[in-house]
Amino acid sequence: MSPKTAKAAEKGAAATPTERTGAQIIVDTLVELGADTVFGYLGGVVLPLFDKLYDAPIRVIVPRHEQGGCHMADAYARASGKVGVVIATSGPGACNLVTGLANAMMDSIPVVAITGQVRTELIGNDAFQEADITGIIRPITKYNCIVKDIKDLARTIHEAFYIASTGRQGPVLIDVPVDISVSKYTLEGPVTMNLPGYHVKTNGHSGQIDAAAKAINESERPVLYVGGGIISANASEELRALAQKANLPVTMTLLALGSYDQSRAESLDMLGMHGTAYANFAVQECDLLIAIGARFDDRVTGKVKTFAANAKIIHIDIDPSSIAKNVRADIPVVGDAKYILGELAKKVEHRPRKEWFKKIAEWKKKFPLTFDKTTSNIKPQYVIEEICNLTKGDAIVTTGVGQNQMWTAQFYRFKRPRQFITSGGLGTMGFGLPAAIGAQIAKPDETVVDIDGDHSFNMTMTELATAVQHKLPIKVCIINNGYMGMVRQWQQLFYGHRYSYNSLANPDYATVARALGAEGITVDKKADVPAAIKKMLSIKGGPCVVDFRVEKEENVWPMVPSGKSLNEMDGLDYLESMA
Ligand SMILES: Cc1ncc(C[n+]2csc(CCOP(=O)(O)OP(=O)(O)O)c2C)c(N)n1
Ligand SMILES: [Mg+2]
């Protein structure tokens, strides 16, 4: 924002029809649509746009790499529930968005990317910094288009926001050739969208809802299996009401963590490859599986053939193409989870299900999530448990990918939706730090902690400079095992301990942090862990990086080996012995 911004903010978006450049139309439309922040990187064909942003009532965050900017917009959307906006120049800038867009696509996150493009008459000429970005990102966006007429510009941006944030949410990319940005146009009257082929079904079919309620009432051993869709639909309150009224145990996918208070007895915590034994056993033995906003990802189901083999399956989802895609659905219900759960709650009855809850309690007692607390080394799980304790389970938490991510899912106890921000479907290393930045910008008053892997952090650590520049008090906790730990675990278990190409040199992270203007702390003694976390939490004016030198060869348990059934977990003996 320039010093002129305050004045511009008072004026707001253009009220009376005047001639404006395409760049001005983009900026005014973003303001009109409620975008208070954009994450964008400069370049030749987006200079007209940045020039107009300079005077706009919009906060502009320039990342150090467009991938970082896209993850920031993604996490901003996850933390706030609003659309995240990212801007990149043509060619290399646009290409750097690929990972971020694929990430948002796999996790159904509303991100609008605006890319500059070479002049219309140069498209297809291999012009300088030309890349066919709409062609490149077609399979990893919900929608994309190239604006070739300035008359369509405002409408297209309205449509982009609408498509990104409705139905099954997802990323949209709008490509704007620079001649459109600099040409002028007078927009008369209000913008009307023109999407005749795009329909979102929100109200579920009442007959299907009745059938689902009947199945729930008849079930002896039900399980609610909820996915990220429950958070996108802002339906956590309805989920709580349904689970408590009907007396249903709840298990969550990685992306749904936070949607159900994990301190409640009905919570089975996470299911799947590194889910809890009690969730996985419950799913395998249930007679009714109620899937909501979840897509039966292979990390959840294990071997599909044997997944919840004896259960009737209710599948509630806003995206009809997701229903019965991977696993059969006996009672499909297409629509908005918030509405459908509200309707279901009216129709279900409370059943005691004593036997079922007794069995679940036995599994919980026999196979709790735990680890060896007697070692003198720093256990990664201990660090995460302490972060949870000292933040009172209230922080917004982002992660890298790998063991750090799975231990965070297991040992940080989440209470509320939009509290846990992680790369689920794509599993993108390097997500944690830029995600923490995006979340902190969306929620300036909250504590934001990135629990990261050393190698995940290595991928995007340059964004620490962005956090320093904007004085963001994010906390980065590196679970530094000196390995691509999750890969090492697989090499240990499935490749006879051959840790091929898995020892990369790491920098001294505290020194790197200080070089970039952040605080840096190194912890190599177990006794120092709580004090370091407290110190980290007390730092207000900018980011702090804590390098926890943890035990190098710790494994994540339990584990359903790839292709095995959900109840064929390794590590149960270990958990039982530690219980
Ligand atoms: C961009 C990217 N490249 C490769 C992978 C494959 N992969 C998954 S986990 C992992 C290791 C992660 O190492 P680290 O960040 O140190 O986390 P740890 O498992 O040690 O906690 C790798 C290489 C990935 N998920 N993402
Ligand atoms: Mg590691």
Side-chain angles (χ1 to χ4, degrees), residues 225-478:
Y225 147 47
V226 301
I230 204 91
I231 293 177
S232 309
N234 297 313
S236 296
E237 191 42 42
E238 288 74 9
L239 172 68
R240 189 196 56 73
L242 175 69
Q244 286 172 27
K245 183 168 179 211
N247 200 23
L248 308 169
V250 184
T251 181
M252 290 164 272
T253 67
L254 180 70
L255 288 186
L257 287 173
S259 64
Y260 202 84
D261 184 347
Q262 290 188 271
S263 64
R264 295 197 59 92
E266 316 82 70
S267 175
L268 299 173
D269 307 320
M270 185 171 76
L271 80 166
M273 182 175 272
H274 292 296
T276 62
Y278 39 96
N280 289 345
F281 282 136
V283 166
Q284 290 302 77
E285 295 200 13
C286 71
D287 64 3
L288 179 71
L289 188 73
I290 310 146
I292 309 165
R295 61 187 176 84
F296 297 81
D297 162 72
D298 60 277
R299 284 293 190 267
V300 159
T301 61
K303 190 169 166 186
V304 172
K305 252 195 177 155
T306 54
F307 177 71
N310 301 316
K312 191 178 257 191
I313 296 182
I314 300 173
H315 192 177
I316 301 168
D317 207 290
I318 191 118
D319 177 7
S321 74
S322 166
I323 289 189
K325 180 172 177 175
N326 298 339
V327 170
R328 75 196 184 281
D330 300 293
I331 308 177
V333 193
V334 178
D336 177 36
K338 196 176 178 71
Y339 171 82
I340 294 167
L341 297 195
E343 287 302 296
L344 269 179
K346 292 181 201 158
K347 295 173 183 185
V348 292
E349 292 152 14
H350 191 277
R351 293 282 149 89
R353 301 190 174 101
K354 284 217 174 89
E355 280 302 306
W356 185 224
F357 277 98
K358 194 169 145 234
K359 203 160 193 190
I360 288 171
E362 282 166 12
W363 285 322
K364 279 193 174 182
K365 191 152 177 248
K366 198 167 175 197
F367 309 114
L369 280 177
T370 189
F371 57 96
D372 185 357
K373 300 185 182 178
T374 62
T375 58
S376 53
N377 287 345
I378 306 177
K379 288 279 184 187
Q381 302 95 320
Y382 168 65
V383 173
I384 295 166
E385 226 173 47
E386 280 301 289
I387 297 169
C388 182
N389 290 338
L390 293 167
T391 56
K392 301 190 176 66
D394 258 336
I396 293 179
V397 177
T398 70
T399 70
V401 168
Q403 293 183 316
N404 63 89
Q405 178 186 33
M406 292 300 115
W407 283 318
T408 304
Q410 293 181 335
F411 291 95
Y412 200 100
R413 312 290 294 168
F414 296 97
K415 298 179 188 168
R416 61 192 152 82
R418 305 194 182 279
Q419 195 192 347
F420 183 44
I421 296 178
T422 194
S423 168
L426 197 66
T428 312
M429 289 168 72
F431 181 71
L433 174 61
I437 293 173
Q440 186 76 79
I441 284 168
K443 297 282 172 188
D445 299 329
E446 300 208 23
T447 301
V448 178
V449 182
D450 167 27
I451 300 178
D452 221 327
D454 45 337
H455 288 92
S456 293
F457 182 73
N458 288 346
M459 287 204 172
T460 55
M461 64 177 152
T462 178
E463 297 303 344
L464 210 47
T466 313
V468 168
Q469 181 169 352
H470 294 279
K471 300 188 172 57
L472 301 173
I474 56 166
K475 326 292 179 198
V476 180
C477 299
I478 302 176

Side-chain angles (χ1 to χ4, degrees), residues 403-404 453-456 479-486:
Q403 293 183 316
N404 63 89
D454 45 337
H455 288 92
S456 293
I479 304 298
N480 185 358
N481 49 18
Y483 280 119
M484 300 172 209
M486 186 56 89

Side-chain angles (χ1 to χ4, degrees), residues 85 105 118 120 208 295 308 319 346 354 433 511 519 549:
V85 182
M105 183 69 177
V118 300
T120 314
Q208 292 297 90
R295 61 187 176 84
D319 177 7
K346 292 181 201 158
K354 284 217 174 89
L433 174 61
T511 307
E519 294 268 351
R549 306 275 171 93

Side-chain angles (χ1 to χ4, degrees), residues 45-325:
V45 293
V46 286
L47 283 184
L49 188 50
F50 277 90
D51 188 62
K52 296 303 175 199
L53 281 169
Y54 202 41
D55 292 327
I58 292 182
R59 187 173 188 190
V60 178
I61 306 289
V62 181
R64 298 304 182 261
H65 185 293
E66 291 86 353
Q67 178 188 351
C70 200
H71 291 329
M72 288 173 201
D74 170 322
Y76 171 93
R78 295 190 206 221
S80 67
K82 292 168 64 173
V83 174
V85 182
V86 61
I87 296 172
T89 194
S90 64
C95 287
N96 277 349
L97 296 178
V98 167
T99 305
L101 291 171
N103 191 71
M105 183 69 177
M106 291 291 273
D107 288 350
S108 305
I109 305 302
V111 168
V112 169
I114 300 174
T115 46
Q117 184 52 282
V118 300
R119 290 201 310 277
T120 314
E121 84 267 16
L122 292 179
I123 292 176
N125 278 13
D126 302 336
F128 178 64
Q129 295 193 326
E130 181 190 0
D132 172 15
I133 195 62
T134 49
I136 290 168
I137 53 77
R138 182 160 298 131
I140 52 165
T141 47
K142 185 176 173 190
Y143 176 71
N144 65 79
C145 93
I146 176 160
V147 180
K148 292 200 175 138
D149 188 333
I150 192 170
K151 289 193 196 79
D152 300 329
L153 189 54
R155 177 178 53 76
T156 306
I157 295 167
H158 275 264
E159 290 168 357
F161 270 64
Y162 181 70
I163 292 171
S165 61
T166 54
R168 179 171 178 177
Q169 301 178 349
V172 172
L173 183 139
I174 304 299
D175 200 25
V176 187
V178 64
D179 51 310
I180 304 287
S181 289
V182 296
S183 62
K184 290 185 175 170
Y185 178 64
T186 305
L187 192 71
E188 306 276 354
V191 175
T192 43
M193 290 190 285
N194 181 25
L195 295 169
Y198 181 75
H199 301 291
V200 179
K201 185 170 162 45
T202 50
N203 294 0
H205 187 280
S206 65
Q208 292 297 90
I209 294 174
D210 287 346
K214 184 163 174 279
I216 293 171
N217 289 335
E218 285 169 2
S219 163
E220 300 284 339
R221 300 187 309 281
V223 170
L224 274 164
Y225 147 47
V226 301
I230 204 91
I231 293 177
S232 309
N234 297 313
S236 296
E237 191 42 42
E238 288 74 9
L239 172 68
R240 189 196 56 73
L242 175 69
Q244 286 172 27
K245 183 168 179 211
N247 200 23
L248 308 169
V250 184
T251 181
M252 290 164 272
T253 67
L254 180 70
L255 288 186
L257 287 173
S259 64
Y260 202 84
D261 184 347
Q262 290 188 271
S263 64
R264 295 197 59 92
E266 316 82 70
S267 175
L268 299 173
D269 307 320
M270 185 171 76
L271 80 166
M273 182 175 272
H274 292 296
T276 62
Y278 39 96
N280 289 345
F281 282 136
V283 166
Q284 290 302 77
E285 295 200 13
C286 71
D287 64 3
L288 179 71
L289 188 73
I290 310 146
I292 309 165
R295 61 187 176 84
F296 297 81
D297 162 72
D298 60 277
R299 284 293 190 267
V300 159
T301 61
K303 190 169 166 186
V304 172
K305 252 195 177 155
T306 54
F307 177 71
N310 301 316
K312 191 178 257 191
I313 296 182
I314 300 173
H315 192 177
I316 301 168
D317 207 290
I318 191 118
D319 177 7
S321 74
S322 166
I323 289 189
K325 180 172 177 175

